[in-house]
Amino acid sequence: MPDYLDDLRLAHVLADAADAATMDRFKALDLKVETKPDMTPVSEADKAAEELIRGQLQRARPRDSVLGEEYGTEGTGPRRWVIDPIDGTKNYIRGVPVWATLISLTEAGEGGYHPVVGLVSAPALGRRWWAAKGHGAFTGRNLTAASRLHVSGVGKLSDASFAYSSLSGWEEQGRLDGFLDLTRQVWRTRAYGDFWPYMMVAEGSIDICAEPELSLWDMAATAIVVTEAGGAFTGLDGRPGPHSGNAAASNGLLHDELLAYLNPRH
């Protein structure tokens, strides 16, 4: 089995470059922000970071394809890098430090492409998390200054901390009643949003999290970090991995209960 460690090292190099570019424009008074056709914002920093990563990948891995949020898919082949240059753009443009660059390497397999490397870098928080298939998940400043991640051992919903992003998406999908029922069963709820809850599941500081609507680039990196930390990452339909257009992540012990609450009951 390939060990993917060279690819993981490259992901750190890519993230270092992206972090420098995004931090340089964070809280800039002259930051340019546009609205995309789906009415979500995109900043010049999103575009610049993705261009930077694509340029470095073109030099370091010219045979690999790339899928990015801002510029779509380029190239073909069994290996595909998946990039979200700034996950949490709305936070970024408002000066909230909860945003990250997400970098994942995926490989073609049964049922589509599957993450084999994932890195989440949140420079304004001073945090970075990463994983490679079969090697576990870690957090730290770099590869040599890192500690291993492991999900929590909480086995009862009444003891669990649950994180989410917002309420509106659950309501639009007819899942709000189950969502609210779940919030009444758990010990604690917090709306941290974006990449952060998944990383907190991986490091065991919360136990369950979910979002009703996501894109592949939102999930590819976070999925492998959660699973390599010993957790479960599926769609709300229970399908493993980042392929369902939404996500549920947990320490594994609470996963079936999490899904049961979040799927409409007839």
Side-chain angles (χ1 to χ4, degrees):
M1 187 177 96
D3 69 11
Y4 303 111
L5 294 181
D6 281 345
D7 296 307
L8 181 59
R9 281 188 280 271
L10 174 59
H12 277 272
V13 172
L14 299 172
D16 289 343
D19 286 355
T22 53
M23 285 301 289
D24 183 57
R25 300 299 291 151
F26 186 48
K27 295 189 178 180
L29 296 177
D30 61 344
L31 182 72
K32 293 183 176 65
V33 180
E34 303 165 19
T35 300
K36 294 194 283 191
D38 65 359
M39 302 310 291
T40 60
V42 58
S43 75
E44 62 183 86
D46 292 79
K47 293 180 176 179
E50 185 168 323
E51 287 169 356
L52 198 63
I53 293 168
R54 283 176 179 270
Q56 293 203 5
L57 283 172
Q58 183 59 44
R59 291 188 290 275
R61 298 287 189 275
R63 285 180 290 188
D64 294 352
S65 64
V66 182
L67 166 65
E69 178 175 12
E70 306 308 334
Y71 295 106
T73 305
E74 193 176 353
T76 58
R79 287 166 45 101
R80 184 170 72 182
W81 294 83
V82 180
I83 311 299
D84 189 345
I86 299 179
D87 182 53
T89 298
K90 291 174 184 174
N91 283 345
Y92 184 87
I93 62 180
R94 290 297 302 272
V96 178
V98 183
W99 50 271
T101 295
L102 311 185
I103 300 170
S104 177
L105 173 63
T106 65
E107 279 197 343
E110 190 177 338
Y113 285 83
H114 302 282
V116 293
V117 168
L119 183 146
V120 176
S121 188
L125 294 175
R127 298 294 310 276
R128 186 178 286 188
W129 304 261
W130 62 87
K133 185 177 180 181
H135 290 278
F138 295 84
T139 185
R141 293 289 181 182
N142 53 53
L143 281 165
T144 55
S147 54
R148 188 153 188 165
L149 299 175
H150 204 280
V151 296
S152 76
V154 172
K156 292 198 307 190
L157 275 182
S158 57
D159 296 330
S161 183
F162 169 46
Y164 60 97
S165 284
S166 67
L167 294 178
S168 56
W170 299 104
E171 186 168 30
E172 288 162 11
Q173 293 191 7
R175 301 179 192 263
L176 185 60
D177 288 347
F179 174 92
L180 292 174
D181 286 345
L182 175 60
T183 67
R184 297 180 186 111
Q185 297 303 314
V186 297
W187 167 62
R188 192 167 189 252
T189 63
R190 284 292 182 272
Y192 300 108
D194 301 306
F195 67 93
W196 207 8
Y198 303 98
M199 298 303 95
M200 287 192 274
V201 167
E203 59 192 18
S205 52
I206 68 170
D207 312 296
I208 54 177
C209 70
E211 288 182 272
E213 191 171 359
L214 291 168
S215 298
L216 178 62
W217 50 76
D218 299 312
M219 299 184 279
T222 59
I224 189 168
V225 175
V226 169
T227 54
E228 284 290 323
F233 189 107
T234 72
L236 297 175
D237 57 6
R239 184 155 60 120
H243 308 293
S244 301
N246 46 43
S250 75
N251 61 7
L253 302 172
L254 300 169
H255 207 77
D256 289 344
E257 287 181 276
L258 172 63
L259 295 179
Y261 275 97
L262 296 180
N263 282 293
R265 286 161 284 177
H266 301 292

